[in-house]
Amino acid sequence: MANGKEMKELFCRYEGNPILTPEMWPVQYPWPLAAVFNPGATKLNDEVLLLVRTESREGYSSLTIAKSADGKTNWKISERPTLLADRNSGEEFFGLEDPRITWIEERKEYIIVYVSFRVGMAGWVPSISLISTKDFISFERLVGPRLIPPNKDAALFPRTIRGRYALIHRPFIDGRADIWVSFSPNLRDWGADQVLIPAQKEGWDSDRVGIGPPPIETEEGWITFYHGVEKTISGRVYRVGVALLDLETLEIIRRSPVWIFGPKEDYEMRENNGGVVFPCGNVVNEKTDEIFMYYGAADKTVGLSIASLKEILNFLKSC
């Protein structure tokens, strides 16, 4: 319910969900997998490319490519991990998690932002790393941004804002878990940190918030999906909300007071971490007015949900 009226569902689950499961991975893959989830997404050579978090039965994660012509079926999955933790770059054995992929037109390359683990004062702490690529065959690690640790849930805006790159991230500070943004002239040195979307004082996104896929630019502003977490008697529930940010100041123009996508199907409720939908990747088709949102379901499999870009904007205008 929203404002006393029945709320229309903005996202429709693909009937073939879950679209990727551990059982679908090639037999040649070097180790058995416990889960495949939280994929970054982009278009490459007329295909949808997902960079999937693949978790071994030991609990360590790597990132693996899966491709599909229609973004729904007939996935071609790499027989080996695409990206592993690199100890020479300071990344420790826990692995790489939850990638977001952004095409940066000004650089003519993709930037992958992901969670890695580094040695900190309290042991291993999650931090943010960046990798650039033009073809998803060769990769270059960028110097890790000097952001407040521990830190997760990071994504880049697809263009510079007032001449600077803008990176969304989620540090834990004084017991709070808000969405922040930091700025850089070169993707290496970051500063001017500020809160972008704070957790609410109560309700569905009161425990913590974190960015979903990279923001989508429209004439009205940046459509920004994020996950919100609520503590319940049975545990934390992860749902999806949306905000509209100003194109230049990044101030919140509109913010959904309600969640717009939440767990309800068996594959979202019963697996490794029931009650979780966790989107990391979007693919937008402006010709068909469709947003394909790829999400992790219960930290076990990959789901696909589809929405209308126009309907999302109309909903935000009503908030």
Side-chain angles (χ1 to χ4, degrees):
M1 303 286 287
N3 298 324
K5 297 180 180 180
E6 187 71 23
M7 178 178 167
K8 177 184 177 181
E9 294 293 338
L10 294 172
F11 277 96
C12 177
R13 287 169 175 81
Y14 172 56
E15 62 272 15
N17 276 351
I19 59 171
L20 291 172
T21 68
E23 293 74 24
M24 296 170 63
W25 246 242
V27 294
Q28 299 93 335
Y29 205 76
W31 47 76
L33 294 176
V36 299
F37 59 117
N38 296 3
T42 192
K43 288 293 291 277
L44 178 71
N45 300 330
D46 296 324
E47 289 185 304
V48 172
L49 181 147
L50 300 185
L51 193 57
V52 185
R53 175 178 170 184
T54 47
E55 186 177 284
S56 72
R57 294 185 183 181
E58 295 174 293
Y60 307 143
S61 292
S62 53
L63 306 180
T64 304
I65 285 175
K67 298 178 185 179
S68 166
D70 63 5
K72 301 175 180 178
T73 59
N74 300 316
W75 291 94
K76 298 175 289 185
I77 302 169
S78 174
E79 295 179 357
R80 299 191 62 80
T82 305
L83 293 170
L84 294 162
D86 178 16
R87 301 198 71 171
N88 292 328
S89 302
E91 299 169 350
E92 295 297 335
F93 60 91
F94 288 106
L96 314 180
E97 301 181 356
D98 306 347
R100 278 79 167 181
I101 304 169
T102 303
W103 169 255
I104 306 293
E105 180 66 25
E106 293 145 296
R107 297 172 64 96
K108 302 296 183 185
E109 64 182 355
Y110 301 90
I111 303 294
I112 304 162
V113 186
Y114 59 94
V115 176
S116 60
F117 291 84
R118 298 173 187 272
V119 178
M121 294 181 65
W124 309 114
V125 295
S127 63
I128 307 304
S129 296
L130 281 71
I131 284 180
S132 66
T133 184
K134 296 182 184 297
D135 53 15
F136 288 88
I137 297 172
S138 60
F139 301 87
E140 179 185 355
R141 275 175 163 81
L142 305 179
V143 175
R146 300 171 180 87
L147 300 170
I148 305 166
N151 211 315
K152 284 191 167 187
D153 300 328
L156 271 173
F157 281 85
R159 65 168 174 84
T160 53
I161 309 293
R162 297 179 175 180
R164 297 179 297 173
Y165 299 100
L167 178 69
I168 302 171
H169 55 105
R170 203 277 309 280
F172 287 93
I173 300 176
D174 297 330
R176 289 190 59 84
D178 303 312
I179 297 172
W180 288 58
V181 64
S182 297
F183 298 90
S184 170
N186 55 15
L187 291 180
R188 299 177 186 273
D189 303 300
W190 297 88
D193 314 307
Q194 62 191 61
V195 174
L196 185 68
I197 302 175
Q200 304 276 32
K201 292 183 178 179
E202 57 185 26
W204 71 272
D205 55 355
S206 57
D207 182 58
R208 64 186 66 179
V209 289
I211 191 64
I216 301 168
E217 186 171 11
T218 72
E219 292 182 356
E220 307 284 345
W222 296 102
I223 295 176
T224 307
F225 296 106
Y226 67 96
H227 66 260
V229 184
E230 181 182 7
K231 281 185 179 178
T232 69
I233 295 174
S234 58
R236 288 186 168 97
V237 180
Y238 283 68
R239 305 184 181 100
V240 180
V242 64
L244 188 68
L245 307 180
D246 185 88
L247 289 175
E248 295 303 320
T249 68
L250 303 186
E251 293 179 355
I252 297 174
I253 301 171
R254 306 277 183 172
R255 180 176 180 177
S256 167
V258 298
W259 54 268
I260 60 171
F261 185 70
K264 69 176 183 178
E265 302 296 338
D266 281 350
Y267 56 87
E268 299 163 348
M269 298 296 298
R270 296 178 179 271
E271 297 292 351
N272 292 346
N273 193 9
V276 172
V277 292
F278 194 95
C280 288
N282 279 340
V283 171
V284 178
N285 187 328
E286 293 182 355
K287 291 182 179 179
T288 62
D289 184 43
E290 287 182 315
I291 302 172
F292 279 26
M293 182 176 75
Y294 297 93
Y295 65 96
D299 287 358
K300 179 64 180 289
T301 60
V302 175
L304 166 63
S305 199
I306 303 170
S308 158
L309 185 65
K310 181 179 179 181
E311 288 184 2
I312 294 290
L313 277 171
N314 288 338
F315 167 74
L316 279 165
K317 292 176 185 178
S318 74
C319 292

